[in-house]
């Protein structure tokens, strides 16, 4: 076995599970903070762990350009480099090549592109992506694919998906098996049920340690995303983890868990932590807003993160207005803590057979909105 | 008694002491990290305490403009606002009005100026400065003074010093006495021994809880600064703490302790933490330099800070090159830890009667420079 998956309980389509990797276990449903360039931005790794996160995501595209894959291998891999002893999942680099690099050309072999940092020329292919992710020492490696853009016609989505499936096979061939390390395939096919179905068939015929659903959260909206999940996740093997890539907002995650997804990643909690947007169970709160400037209350009095335990809204507002580094430090921590609170809540709810009720309560509370202003 | 000072031991002119304030004790010689706008930049307050710092400095000028003195008082004072339960010293605002504000005019009453943030008009006087520092709930309040520029003629320095002495008297009158809270006077007089002597006489006649030496580290150089200390500190009361404002580099601090100074503040360890400059016992090290990119070794293998315990030079170099927030977070922590290591070393050395030897060893090691490159 490469990475192990134990399905502990189900509640409708929702699943409670545990993934075991070379660097530790991940209780699912799980949210993976994004550590793009070898750091979850504005967080010490021990603080990331303190939020409850058990796995972080690293970006192959960024790391291959800086510090470089071979240097990273010489330096002992990503765990050691960034002082994260727990599991790491790396993406394949394909998505970010298409969104960040310059002058990219794609053909059957892979993608040739110029670095957005210095214009240097690089090539990524299924084989090279596997090699780099091996150098990074990723516990979970993602197959190299093309993320089908949205919108795409059926023909465009089909061509793209079929390329990704051929690349998936080459990824599997190139992946070096090691105990505790796994390779995930990525279902593509845009918004077209027949293409998603064909993609699942192709991937399961190859055989992967887990299955990701890719090409979503690219502008299609939550309804459409859930429709795609509704036709996709029932086809996926029960005994392997499922990962919805790049998703999402709290209610996206909750809805996807109800549809059988086990793993998530998204830059939202970390990125929003740098732009004063707080995620709370009453929806998002913009801490730069002057309504907070005299508010002695914590952001959320029930939250256990340092921001909520030790500081007033007035102080966090002041830090953002003053552009102090402590502002993103504290709010990123809060947002990641809140995301992990959701995952803890989901796992408890599934164990108790109350996943639907949990989702319902979350939706209703978000609709209520932030607590009213309390002037001094 | 307002703030208490116990002189525990002396070694030549160097002093080992302890200051007791409303919010706790400060072992001296002490270094105070600068928390300009209600945060020691890039540091959680519990991390500041973990370095060994027992007191932080707040800037009246910044805080009166944002969030504002009256708002700060409504919010419960600076300790509560910034979650720093320990002692706080605030400056008077005078120095930064002169260095940061726009369109300032000075007269006998005080200084009128425009905010560098929004151009709003403000007035600072001894009375207003005392009031603001009271609102901030500073354990140690600094008298309002004019920092004499460098260079200044004897006449200029005399006029400026005499104004500061009149303001010192007004500061004393306006200061509200409370148990555990103290007011420090500031010796001025530029580089002129007679003016420094007159300033000490004027201040001791008024009577303060501690005495600062101001108007140094403004371009006069270390030799001149030490000469001024040599003629000033012997005149100061033995039973009151002495504070050298805005100083300095490690060897400046060590030299000043040998000349009888007890307290220091400086932005250098925090500011340098944001510009990749590390303070080490072998001098400063620029971590942005490419020589570190393949270096698996810690910055200083004997240092106990998180940067040195958990990360390679290669990683810190990568973080600075990638402009990651974790870079200033870790390096600020290291620099503050290093400064506190110096203070711990000085206190031990004074207790053991080895202050001179400590200073000699520090100077020699700094001269050696950084460890040589070790290529992978």
């Amino acid at each position: 076995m490469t990475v192990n998956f134990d399905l502990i309980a189900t509640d409708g389509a929702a699943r409670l599970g545990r993934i075991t990797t070379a660097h530790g276990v991940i209780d699912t449903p799980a949210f993976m903070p994004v550590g793009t360039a070898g750091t979850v931005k504005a967080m010490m790794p021990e603080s990331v762990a303190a939020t409850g996160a058990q796995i972080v995501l690293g970006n192959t595209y960024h790391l291959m350009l800086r510090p470089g894959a071979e240097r990273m291998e010489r330096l002992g891999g990503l765990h050691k480099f960034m002082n994260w002893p727990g599991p790491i999942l790396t993406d394949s680099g394909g998505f970010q090549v298409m969104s960040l690099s310059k002058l990219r050309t794609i053909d059957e072999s892979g993608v040739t592109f110029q670095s957005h940092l210095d214009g240097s020329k690089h090539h990524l292919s299924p084989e090279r992506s596997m090699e780099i992710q091996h150098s990074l020492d990723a516990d979970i490696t993602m197959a190299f694919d093309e993320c089908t853009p949205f919108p795409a016609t059926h023909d465009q989505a089909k061509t793209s998906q079929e390329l990704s499936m051929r690349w998936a096979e080459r990824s599997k061939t190139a992946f070096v098996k090691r105990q505790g390390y796994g390779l995930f395939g990525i279902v593509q096919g845009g918004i077209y049920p027949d293409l998603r179905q064909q993609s699942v068939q192709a991937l399961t015929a190859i055989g992967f340690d887990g299955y990701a659903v890719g090409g979503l959260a690219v502008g299609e909206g939550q309804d459409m995303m859930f429709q795609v999940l509704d036709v996709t996740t029932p086809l996926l093997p029960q005994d392997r983890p499922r990962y919805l890539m790049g998703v999402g907002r709290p209610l996206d995650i909750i809805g996807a868990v109800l549809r059988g997804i086990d793993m998530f990643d998204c830059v939202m909690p970390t990125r929003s932590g740098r732009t004063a947007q707080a995620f709370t169970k009453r929806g998002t709160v913009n801490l730069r807003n002057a309504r907070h400037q005299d508010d002695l209350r914590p952001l959320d009095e029930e939250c256990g993160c340092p921001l909520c335990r030790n500081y007033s809204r007035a102080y966090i507002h002041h830090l953002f207005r003053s552009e102090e580094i402590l502002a993103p430090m504290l709010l990123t921590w809060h947002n990641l803590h809140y995301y992990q609170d959701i995952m803890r809540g989901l796992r408890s709810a599934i164990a108790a057979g109350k996943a639907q009720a949990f989702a319902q309560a979350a939706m209703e509370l978000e609709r209520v909105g932030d607590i009213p202003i309390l002037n001094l």
Side-chain angles (χ1 to χ4, degrees), chain A:
Chain A
M1 211 49 169
T2 50
V3 296
N4 195 53
F5 179 68
D6 295 308
L7 185 60
I8 296 166
T10 58
D11 178 9
R15 299 142 50 95
L16 181 72
R18 178 170 294 140
I19 303 169
T20 305
T21 74
H23 290 87
V25 302
I26 306 141
D27 295 302
T28 62
F31 179 80
M32 303 183 282
V34 177
T36 299
T39 158
V40 176
K41 290 185 194 302
M43 294 287 286
M44 304 274 282
E46 48 271 47
S47 307
V48 175
T51 67
Q54 296 170 302
I55 175 170
V56 299
L57 182 144
N59 287 121
T60 287
Y61 172 79
H62 286 89
L63 294 168
M64 72 181 282
L65 297 180
R66 191 172 55 198
E70 281 63 36
R71 170 169 295 132
M72 190 69 95
E73 188 163 12
R74 290 197 302 274
L75 292 170
L78 187 53
H79 299 87
K80 183 176 173 188
F81 190 59
M82 68 184 286
N83 189 33
W84 175 262
I88 294 176
L89 179 148
T90 48
D91 64 9
S92 71
F95 179 78
Q96 293 189 312
V97 163
M98 299 314 282
S99 59
L100 293 177
S101 73
K102 296 184 288 193
L103 292 176
R104 55 196 174 271
T105 57
I106 188 165
D107 61 25
E108 186 66 30
S109 75
V111 188
T112 304
F113 64 95
Q114 286 190 346
S115 161
H116 72 290
L117 297 173
D118 61 5
S120 58
K121 207 170 167 183
H122 299 267
H123 187 68
L124 257 185
S125 62
E127 293 75 20
R128 178 66 180 143
S129 177
M130 295 306 105
E131 186 176 48
I132 294 170
Q133 294 182 73
H134 187 92
S135 294
L136 297 175
D137 199 29
D139 296 80
I140 299 176
T141 288
M142 298 305 297
F144 188 70
D145 70 338
E146 184 191 39
C147 179
T148 309
F150 177 86
T153 64
H154 190 278
D155 269 5
Q156 289 167 335
K158 184 170 190 290
T159 304
S160 170
Q161 181 257 66
E162 288 173 352
L163 177 65
S164 286
M165 296 307 102
R166 293 192 296 277
W167 284 357
E169 180 132 34
R170 284 167 55 192
S171 296
K172 175 76 184 281
T173 304
F175 178 73
V176 178
K177 282 189 184 169
R178 287 180 290 169
Q179 179 65 35
Y181 291 80
L183 175 66
F184 282 22
I186 305 173
V187 181
Q188 291 289 353
I191 58 167
Y192 304 103
D194 60 323
L195 298 181
R196 289 284 175 180
Q197 187 181 351
Q198 289 162 19
S199 181
V200 171
Q201 285 168 349
L203 293 176
T204 51
I206 300 166
F208 287 93
D209 303 305
Y211 294 87
V213 184
L216 292 177
V218 290
E220 76 285 355
Q222 194 194 65
D223 286 352
M224 181 62 82
M225 179 172 80
F226 284 170
Q227 286 177 39
V228 171
L229 291 182
D230 284 334
V231 300
T232 305
T233 51
L235 307 173
L236 292 170
Q238 280 287 323
D239 63 344
R240 301 279 83 210
R242 297 110 170 236
Y243 162 30
L244 179 55
M245 301 182 81
V247 173
R249 298 179 71 86
L251 296 184
D252 297 333
I253 290 174
I254 292 169
V257 165
L258 293 186
R259 289 166 174 83
I261 297 290
D262 308 305
M263 301 165 71
F264 301 87
D265 80 283
C266 188
V267 295
M268 252 186 228
T270 39
R271 182 172 292 165
S272 297
R274 303 192 295 283
T275 60
Q277 188 182 53
F279 284 95
T280 80
K281 55 184 181 295
R282 288 160 163 267
T284 55
V285 174
N286 181 355
L287 287 164
R288 212 182 272 278
N289 192 302
R291 73 197 292 262
H292 306 294
Q293 70 183 351
D294 283 308
D295 200 332
L296 271 167
R297 296 172 301 177
L299 173 62
D300 178 354
E301 63 181 16
E302 292 170 15
C303 177
C305 85
L307 181 148
C308 292
R309 277 189 290 108
N310 301 329
Y311 302 93
S312 62
R313 288 172 176 231
Y315 183 67
I316 307 299
H317 170 78
H318 166 73
L319 291 180
F320 273 105
R321 289 248 305 163
S322 305
E323 297 182 354
E324 287 286 350
I325 294 177
L326 187 57
M329 289 167 61
L330 286 171
L331 189 54
T332 302
W333 193 326
H334 166 82
N335 281 346
L336 287 178
H337 187 97
Y338 177 66
Y339 267 64
Q340 296 299 333
D341 271 348
I342 293 172
M343 306 321 289
R344 281 184 280 268
L346 281 165
R347 293 195 295 265
S348 300
I350 295 167
K354 295 179 177 172
Q356 283 287 351
F358 179 88
Q360 202 60 40
M363 276 186 285
E364 279 165 20
L365 200 50
E366 240 199 62
R367 216 173 288 131
V368 172
D370 192 20
I371 52 178
I373 297 177
L374 183 69
N375 284 312
L376 285 175

